[in-house]
Amino acid sequence: MKRLRDLLVWIAGGALLSAVAVDSLAMIGRQIRFPLLGSIEIVEAVVLFAAGGGLIIATLDGAHARVNLLLARLPEYWRQRVARVHALVAALLFAALLAGTVWIAADLWNGYEESELLRIPYKPLRIAAACTLGVLLVLSLVAVTRRSTK
Amino acid sequence: MIGQPSVGLVGVVVLLALLISGMPIGIALGIAGLGGLIVTLGLEPALIKSGVLVFETMTRYELGTLPLFMLMAHLCFTAGASGDFFGLAARLFGHRRGGLAIASVAGCAGFGSINGSSLATTATMGLVAVPEMRTRGYSDALATGTIAAGGTLGQMIPPSGALIVFGIIAEQSIGTLFTAAIVPGLTQMLCYFVVIALLVGSRPSLAPPTPRATWAERIAALRRVVDIGLLVVVVIGGIVLGWITASEAAAVGAAGALLICMKRGKLDRATLRRALEDTLRTSGLIYLVVIGALIFAAFIGVTGLADAIGSAIVDLDLGPVATMLLVAVFLLLIGSVLDGLALMLLTTPILLPLVTDMGLSAIWFGIFLVRAMEIGFIHPPIGMNLYVIQGVVPDVSLGRIFKGVLPFLAADLVHLTLLIVFPVIALGLPTWLGR
């Protein structure tokens, strides 16, 4: 599990560092009148991997922002029950988002979707987005079925 | 299918209930929005609309700005920037009565210029400045209150995570939002300086003077922040002057921070991994919130709730200033049960059309909303900054921290009112620069 997480951090982090490099080079290129063609398209593609990795890591770590006003005052037993209900709702949402993403991908499968300048194909990007949602769905379902610690 | 304001209102109530139950903000926004879209449009269009929004958000160039600015902040933190900013300010102002408190606010503003989060600024500066102030005999209420309030500058001084999220939701230029935030951020800092001066003027025992630093010490402290200071000038100056876009500025900032870490000998595989992992974790949190907020905003748009509320308020014929004062009171009340991000994402789709219908600028509204959010960070019962500070100094009670922050809270309310009455505070600089 730790190795998988390491891999995820380096892939998503690598995507982030690629965005840093591409946008910095684009800025320098523009200033010296040697523009980097399609830099925005590259950043849009790599940011998807950073966003996907970020979503998975935040979910794995239970780091999503929440209002703790009520939750912090509940006894442990009820807090765990509420957390499972929340995880179930999260699973429902991710399942719906996955369904919507797959639906569009299926509709556009033969449409040769690609970016304008560099002709980056969208198919792998849509697959990556769907995979991210699939992982989030699984993580939420695991949280629903996780046994109580007390 | 039904698409009425009443359905939108039910959606808002459901969302509020989900948020208060402690559900992750992004999930609550997403499920309330998706459920609403299913009721108003039907299952198939709702799923497709949500699917489109997910993909568009994850590949959105402008939203890529956020993780890059976060990476810059994490790397600057690794390089020791927070201590350096406070160190410089402490050597410049520390010898004056209340000088360390002023230095702490200035340090928060300095750290805020590389970091877009109130909580991170409060936690980081709290670790650096509160022990120093307490060692020098400062009142613990003043020390903790100063940092809790000063930490909110992290959200206002560009780059600001909240303004990036607002820019995405409201479809406004992030560069213009950053430019508009500069004067409100600086005037907020000045307000805090005035509060400290008044407090120590009336009760000198709150903050005894400390020994004056020599010029050699001051110059040494200045040298330590030159590189990061230069990076801040390039990043913020570049955006303000329109030389680079906000996204490019974020990339240049992150690249510069990497180089600074390398120069200072603080970059190795482990620190880079930690910076990347922390950045990804926070980015993931924000991405989920933005996806949820866009789905919820789409639902609110379909129901016409914002238009209905707008018409009702316009019918009251109060005028822009009185209306916005009313909105401010509403935001502060809602801010008592919701945290800042939830407050912004819940109210933006509803209030933004009203604001623009009254002829007010969406850019100004973004600054106003973030300012109102900041106040929520220091007023109970949510007041996240108060809890963060208590985490840093567990031996100081929440009551003492709140007592310390009260004068700053009063200054915040005055500042917010000034922002409403004089929108030029936010809009003056972008207008002058032709942004």
Side-chain angles (χ1 to χ4, degrees), chain B residues 74-84 224 227-228 257-275:
Chain B
H74 283 299
L75 290 169
C76 284
F77 177 71
T78 304
S82 49
D84 292 345
R224 275 196 291 276
D227 47 5
I228 291 180
L258 263 173
L259 292 176
I260 289 170
C261 272
M262 268 157 70
K263 192 192 110 199
R264 293 186 177 194
K266 300 223 168 136
L267 190 70
D268 55 29
R269 193 183 151 91
T271 52
L272 180 63
R273 188 197 184 282
R274 194 164 53 243

mmCIF file of all heavy atoms in Angstrom, chain B residues 74-84 224 227-228 257-275:
data_model
loop_
_atom_site.group_PDB
_atom_site.id
_atom_site.type_symbol
_atom_site.label_atom_id
_atom_site.label_comp_id
_atom_site.label_asym_id
_atom_site.label_seq_id
_atom_site.Cartn_x
_atom_site.Cartn_y
_atom_site.Cartn_z
ATOM 1 N N HIS B 74 4.538 25.620 0.178
ATOM 2 C CA HIS B 74 5.150 24.505 0.910
ATOM 3 C C HIS B 74 6.675 24.544 0.784
ATOM 4 O O HIS B 74 7.390 24.274 1.751
ATOM 5 C CB HIS B 74 4.604 23.171 0.405
ATOM 6 C CG HIS B 74 3.228 22.866 0.913
ATOM 7 N ND1 HIS B 74 2.944 22.739 2.249
ATOM 8 C CD2 HIS B 74 2.051 22.689 0.271
ATOM 9 C CE1 HIS B 74 1.654 22.492 2.403
ATOM 10 N NE2 HIS B 74 1.091 22.459 1.213
ATOM 11 N N LEU B 75 7.145 24.882 -0.415
ATOM 12 C CA LEU B 75 8.601 24.935 -0.611
ATOM 13 C C LEU B 75 9.203 26.105 0.156
ATOM 14 O O LEU B 75 10.278 25.982 0.748
ATOM 15 C CB LEU B 75 8.926 25.034 -2.110
ATOM 16 C CG LEU B 75 8.641 23.755 -2.906
ATOM 17 C CD1 LEU B 75 8.743 24.022 -4.411
ATOM 18 C CD2 LEU B 75 9.604 22.636 -2.511
ATOM 19 N N CYS B 76 8.513 27.250 0.155
ATOM 20 C CA CYS B 76 9.014 28.408 0.914
ATOM 21 C C CYS B 76 9.032 28.084 2.406
ATOM 22 O O CYS B 76 9.933 28.485 3.131
ATOM 23 C CB CYS B 76 8.161 29.647 0.660
ATOM 24 S SG CYS B 76 8.471 30.397 -0.935
ATOM 25 N N PHE B 77 8.016 27.330 2.853
ATOM 26 C CA PHE B 77 7.975 26.920 4.258
ATOM 27 C C PHE B 77 9.181 26.027 4.554
ATOM 28 O O PHE B 77 9.858 26.181 5.575
ATOM 29 C CB PHE B 77 6.658 26.196 4.545
ATOM 30 C CG PHE B 77 6.565 25.667 5.945
ATOM 31 C CD1 PHE B 77 6.417 26.532 7.020
ATOM 32 C CD2 PHE B 77 6.636 24.309 6.200
ATOM 33 C CE1 PHE B 77 6.349 26.046 8.316
ATOM 34 C CE2 PHE B 77 6.577 23.816 7.487
ATOM 35 C CZ PHE B 77 6.423 24.695 8.551
ATOM 36 N N THR B 78 9.437 25.093 3.618
ATOM 37 C CA THR B 78 10.607 24.205 3.780
ATOM 38 C C THR B 78 11.895 25.031 3.869
ATOM 39 O O THR B 78 12.811 24.695 4.621
ATOM 40 C CB THR B 78 10.695 23.235 2.565
ATOM 41 O OG1 THR B 78 9.464 22.536 2.482
ATOM 42 C CG2 THR B 78 11.827 22.245 2.698
ATOM 43 N N ALA B 79 11.927 26.131 3.108
ATOM 44 C CA ALA B 79 13.131 26.975 3.101
ATOM 45 C C ALA B 79 13.236 27.834 4.359
ATOM 46 O O ALA B 79 14.224 28.541 4.542
ATOM 47 C CB ALA B 79 13.126 27.855 1.854
ATOM 48 N N GLY B 80 12.195 27.809 5.210
ATOM 49 C CA GLY B 80 12.235 28.558 6.469
ATOM 50 C C GLY B 80 11.756 29.987 6.353
ATOM 51 O O GLY B 80 12.140 30.849 7.154
ATOM 52 N N ALA B 81 10.871 30.259 5.359
ATOM 53 C CA ALA B 81 10.451 31.642 5.102
ATOM 54 C C ALA B 81 9.692 32.269 6.261
ATOM 55 O O ALA B 81 9.865 33.462 6.545
ATOM 56 C CB ALA B 81 9.588 31.677 3.842
ATOM 57 N N SER B 82 8.857 31.473 6.962
ATOM 58 C CA SER B 82 8.009 32.070 8.005
ATOM 59 C C SER B 82 8.865 32.686 9.107
ATOM 60 O O SER B 82 8.635 33.822 9.531
ATOM 61 C CB SER B 82 7.075 31.009 8.579
ATOM 62 O OG SER B 82 7.803 29.857 8.920
ATOM 63 N N GLY B 83 9.894 31.950 9.531
ATOM 64 C CA GLY B 83 10.781 32.462 10.575
ATOM 65 C C GLY B 83 11.549 33.680 10.087
ATOM 66 O O GLY B 83 11.760 34.636 10.835
ATOM 67 N N ASP B 84 11.935 33.657 8.812
ATOM 68 C CA ASP B 84 12.712 34.775 8.266
ATOM 69 C C ASP B 84 11.887 36.063 8.220
ATOM 70 O O ASP B 84 12.386 37.135 8.546
ATOM 71 C CB ASP B 84 13.199 34.431 6.851
ATOM 72 C CG ASP B 84 14.237 33.316 6.879
ATOM 73 O OD1 ASP B 84 14.757 33.029 7.978
ATOM 74 O OD2 ASP B 84 14.514 32.738 5.816
ATOM 75 N N ARG B 224 18.394 37.579 4.771
ATOM 76 C CA ARG B 224 17.775 36.251 4.768
ATOM 77 C C ARG B 224 16.468 36.222 3.978
ATOM 78 O O ARG B 224 16.033 35.162 3.558
ATOM 79 C CB ARG B 224 17.539 35.764 6.205
ATOM 80 C CG ARG B 224 18.779 35.096 6.801
ATOM 81 C CD ARG B 224 18.439 34.275 8.032
ATOM 82 N NE ARG B 224 18.058 35.129 9.147
ATOM 83 C CZ ARG B 224 18.911 35.706 9.974
ATOM 84 N NH1 ARG B 224 20.199 35.525 9.820
ATOM 85 N NH2 ARG B 224 18.485 36.470 10.954
ATOM 86 N N ASP B 227 15.960 36.803 -1.123
ATOM 87 C CA ASP B 227 15.588 35.921 -2.245
ATOM 88 C C ASP B 227 14.079 35.673 -2.312
ATOM 89 O O ASP B 227 13.452 35.825 -3.369
ATOM 90 C CB ASP B 227 16.370 34.591 -2.178
ATOM 91 C CG ASP B 227 16.378 33.968 -0.790
ATOM 92 O OD1 ASP B 227 15.701 34.504 0.104
ATOM 93 O OD2 ASP B 227 17.046 32.913 -0.603
ATOM 94 N N ILE B 228 13.487 35.361 -1.156
ATOM 95 C CA ILE B 228 12.033 35.101 -1.155
ATOM 96 C C ILE B 228 11.273 36.401 -1.413
ATOM 97 O O ILE B 228 10.266 36.412 -2.129
ATOM 98 C CB ILE B 228 11.607 34.434 0.167
ATOM 99 C CG1 ILE B 228 12.185 33.010 0.203
ATOM 100 C CG2 ILE B 228 10.084 34.368 0.291
ATOM 101 C CD1 ILE B 228 11.868 32.207 1.414
ATOM 102 N N ALA B 257 10.757 28.995 -5.874
ATOM 103 C CA ALA B 257 10.835 28.429 -4.520
ATOM 104 C C ALA B 257 11.706 27.171 -4.514
ATOM 105 O O ALA B 257 12.466 26.939 -3.564
ATOM 106 C CB ALA B 257 9.431 28.112 -4.012
ATOM 107 N N LEU B 258 11.608 26.381 -5.582
ATOM 108 C CA LEU B 258 12.469 25.186 -5.702
ATOM 109 C C LEU B 258 13.941 25.595 -5.712
ATOM 110 O O LEU B 258 14.770 25.002 -5.013
ATOM 111 C CB LEU B 258 12.148 24.462 -7.017
ATOM 112 C CG LEU B 258 11.187 23.284 -6.990
ATOM 113 C CD1 LEU B 258 10.866 22.827 -8.403
ATOM 114 C CD2 LEU B 258 11.753 22.122 -6.195
ATOM 115 N N LEU B 259 14.240 26.643 -6.503
ATOM 116 C CA LEU B 259 15.626 27.100 -6.602
ATOM 117 C C LEU B 259 16.119 27.633 -5.253
ATOM 118 O O LEU B 259 17.259 27.376 -4.853
ATOM 119 C CB LEU B 259 15.744 28.200 -7.678
ATOM 120 C CG LEU B 259 15.515 27.730 -9.124
ATOM 121 C CD1 LEU B 259 15.549 28.913 -10.094
ATOM 122 C CD2 LEU B 259 16.591 26.712 -9.512
ATOM 123 N N ILE B 260 15.229 28.365 -4.550
ATOM 124 C CA ILE B 260 15.620 28.922 -3.237
ATOM 125 C C ILE B 260 15.915 27.786 -2.248
ATOM 126 O O ILE B 260 16.898 27.813 -1.511
ATOM 127 C CB ILE B 260 14.514 29.864 -2.700
ATOM 128 C CG1 ILE B 260 14.489 31.148 -3.535
ATOM 129 C CG2 ILE B 260 14.730 30.202 -1.229
ATOM 130 C CD1 ILE B 260 13.307 32.045 -3.269
ATOM 131 N N CYS B 261 15.044 26.766 -2.270
ATOM 132 C CA CYS B 261 15.275 25.604 -1.394
ATOM 133 C C CYS B 261 16.611 24.954 -1.710
ATOM 134 O O CYS B 261 17.364 24.572 -0.807
ATOM 135 C CB CYS B 261 14.175 24.571 -1.604
ATOM 136 S SG CYS B 261 12.756 24.837 -0.580
ATOM 137 N N MET B 262 16.900 24.826 -3.016
ATOM 138 C CA MET B 262 18.164 24.204 -3.423
ATOM 139 C C MET B 262 19.336 25.054 -2.951
ATOM 140 O O MET B 262 20.311 24.546 -2.389
ATOM 141 C CB MET B 262 18.206 24.061 -4.949
ATOM 142 C CG MET B 262 17.665 22.724 -5.421
ATOM 143 S SD MET B 262 17.091 22.734 -7.097
ATOM 144 C CE MET B 262 18.515 22.893 -8.004
ATOM 145 N N LYS B 263 19.223 26.376 -3.153
ATOM 146 C CA LYS B 263 20.305 27.299 -2.776
ATOM 147 C C LYS B 263 20.576 27.232 -1.268
ATOM 148 O O LYS B 263 21.706 27.314 -0.820
ATOM 149 C CB LYS B 263 19.902 28.719 -3.184
ATOM 150 C CG LYS B 263 21.040 29.727 -3.109
ATOM 151 C CD LYS B 263 20.540 31.149 -3.240
ATOM 152 C CE LYS B 263 20.689 31.854 -1.915
ATOM 153 N NZ LYS B 263 19.916 33.031 -1.737
ATOM 154 N N ARG B 264 19.484 27.074 -0.501
ATOM 155 C CA ARG B 264 19.642 27.037 0.957
ATOM 156 C C ARG B 264 20.009 25.635 1.471
ATOM 157 O O ARG B 264 20.054 25.409 2.683
ATOM 158 C CB ARG B 264 18.349 27.507 1.630
ATOM 159 C CG ARG B 264 18.056 28.976 1.382
ATOM 160 C CD ARG B 264 16.865 29.430 2.183
ATOM 161 N NE ARG B 264 16.614 30.864 2.015
ATOM 162 C CZ ARG B 264 15.821 31.567 2.790
ATOM 163 N NH1 ARG B 264 15.170 30.986 3.781
ATOM 164 N NH2 ARG B 264 15.633 32.853 2.580
ATOM 165 N N GLY B 265 20.141 24.699 0.544
ATOM 166 C CA GLY B 265 20.516 23.336 0.925
ATOM 167 C C GLY B 265 19.406 22.588 1.651
ATOM 168 O O GLY B 265 19.671 21.696 2.455
ATOM 169 N N LYS B 266 18.153 22.957 1.379
ATOM 170 C CA LYS B 266 17.048 22.324 2.094
ATOM 171 C C LYS B 266 16.211 21.419 1.200
ATOM 172 O O LYS B 266 15.119 21.003 1.583
ATOM 173 C CB LYS B 266 16.148 23.409 2.690
ATOM 174 C CG LYS B 266 16.869 24.319 3.667
ATOM 175 C CD LYS B 266 16.055 24.594 4.899
ATOM 176 C CE LYS B 266 16.899 25.237 5.956
ATOM 177 N NZ LYS B 266 16.269 26.334 6.627
ATOM 178 N N LEU B 267 16.711 21.174 -0.012
ATOM 179 C CA LEU B 267 15.917 20.345 -0.922
ATOM 180 C C LEU B 267 16.581 18.988 -1.100
ATOM 181 O O LEU B 267 17.684 18.897 -1.623
ATOM 182 C CB LEU B 267 15.764 21.037 -2.286
ATOM 183 C CG LEU B 267 14.765 20.380 -3.215
ATOM 184 C CD1 LEU B 267 13.340 20.577 -2.716
ATOM 185 C CD2 LEU B 267 14.873 20.924 -4.626
ATOM 186 N N ASP B 268 15.895 17.966 -0.626
ATOM 187 C CA ASP B 268 16.330 16.607 -0.939
ATOM 188 C C ASP B 268 15.077 15.817 -1.315
ATOM 189 O O ASP B 268 13.977 16.370 -1.352
ATOM 190 C CB ASP B 268 17.084 15.968 0.238
ATOM 191 C CG ASP B 268 16.270 16.004 1.525
ATOM 192 O OD1 ASP B 268 15.031 15.979 1.425
ATOM 193 O OD2 ASP B 268 16.859 16.075 2.612
ATOM 194 N N ARG B 269 15.271 14.541 -1.590
ATOM 195 C CA ARG B 269 14.160 13.712 -2.058
ATOM 196 C C ARG B 269 13.013 13.706 -1.037
ATOM 197 O O ARG B 269 11.848 13.832 -1.395
ATOM 198 C CB ARG B 269 14.682 12.281 -2.280
ATOM 199 C CG ARG B 269 13.754 11.385 -3.038
ATOM 200 C CD ARG B 269 14.374 9.989 -3.104
ATOM 201 N NE ARG B 269 13.353 8.979 -3.183
ATOM 202 C CZ ARG B 269 12.865 8.497 -4.314
ATOM 203 N NH1 ARG B 269 13.321 8.946 -5.455
ATOM 204 N NH2 ARG B 269 11.923 7.577 -4.316
ATOM 205 N N ALA B 270 13.371 13.598 0.244
ATOM 206 C CA ALA B 270 12.335 13.500 1.283
ATOM 207 C C ALA B 270 11.533 14.802 1.412
ATOM 208 O O ALA B 270 10.305 14.777 1.507
ATOM 209 C CB ALA B 270 12.980 13.149 2.624
ATOM 210 N N THR B 271 12.245 15.948 1.388
ATOM 211 C CA THR B 271 11.517 17.213 1.546
ATOM 212 C C THR B 271 10.670 17.504 0.302
ATOM 213 O O THR B 271 9.567 18.036 0.414
ATOM 214 C CB THR B 271 12.476 18.404 1.813
ATOM 215 O OG1 THR B 271 13.479 18.404 0.807
ATOM 216 C CG2 THR B 271 13.099 18.347 3.170
ATOM 217 N N LEU B 272 11.198 17.147 -0.874
ATOM 218 C CA LEU B 272 10.413 17.371 -2.099
ATOM 219 C C LEU B 272 9.160 16.505 -2.076
ATOM 220 O O LEU B 272 8.057 16.969 -2.387
ATOM 221 C CB LEU B 272 11.259 17.049 -3.338
ATOM 222 C CG LEU B 272 10.534 17.237 -4.674
ATOM 223 C CD1 LEU B 272 10.125 18.690 -4.894
ATOM 224 C CD2 LEU B 272 11.397 16.775 -5.853
ATOM 225 N N ARG B 273 9.326 15.246 -1.651
ATOM 226 C CA ARG B 273 8.172 14.351 -1.586
ATOM 227 C C ARG B 273 7.128 14.911 -0.617
ATOM 228 O O ARG B 273 5.940 14.912 -0.900
ATOM 229 C CB ARG B 273 8.602 12.956 -1.142
ATOM 230 C CG ARG B 273 7.493 11.924 -1.244
ATOM 231 C CD ARG B 273 7.803 10.682 -0.419
ATOM 232 N NE ARG B 273 6.803 9.658 -0.594
ATOM 233 C CZ ARG B 273 5.615 9.660 -0.012
ATOM 234 N NH1 ARG B 273 5.261 10.655 0.774
ATOM 235 N NH2 ARG B 273 4.754 8.677 -0.229
ATOM 236 N N ARG B 274 7.604 15.391 0.558
ATOM 237 C CA ARG B 274 6.668 15.919 1.551
ATOM 238 C C ARG B 274 5.933 17.148 1.011
ATOM 239 O O ARG B 274 4.726 17.275 1.158
ATOM 240 C CB ARG B 274 7.407 16.261 2.848
ATOM 241 C CG ARG B 274 6.471 16.496 4.010
ATOM 242 C CD ARG B 274 7.140 16.467 5.366
ATOM 243 N NE ARG B 274 8.272 17.370 5.456
ATOM 244 C CZ ARG B 274 9.527 16.997 5.674
ATOM 245 N NH1 ARG B 274 9.823 15.733 5.820
ATOM 246 N NH2 ARG B 274 10.498 17.878 5.764
ATOM 247 N N ALA B 275 6.684 18.025 0.335
ATOM 248 C CA ALA B 275 6.050 19.237 -0.223
ATOM 249 C C ALA B 275 5.014 18.849 -1.280
ATOM 250 O O ALA B 275 3.908 19.399 -1.317
ATOM 251 C CB ALA B 275 7.107 20.155 -0.821
#
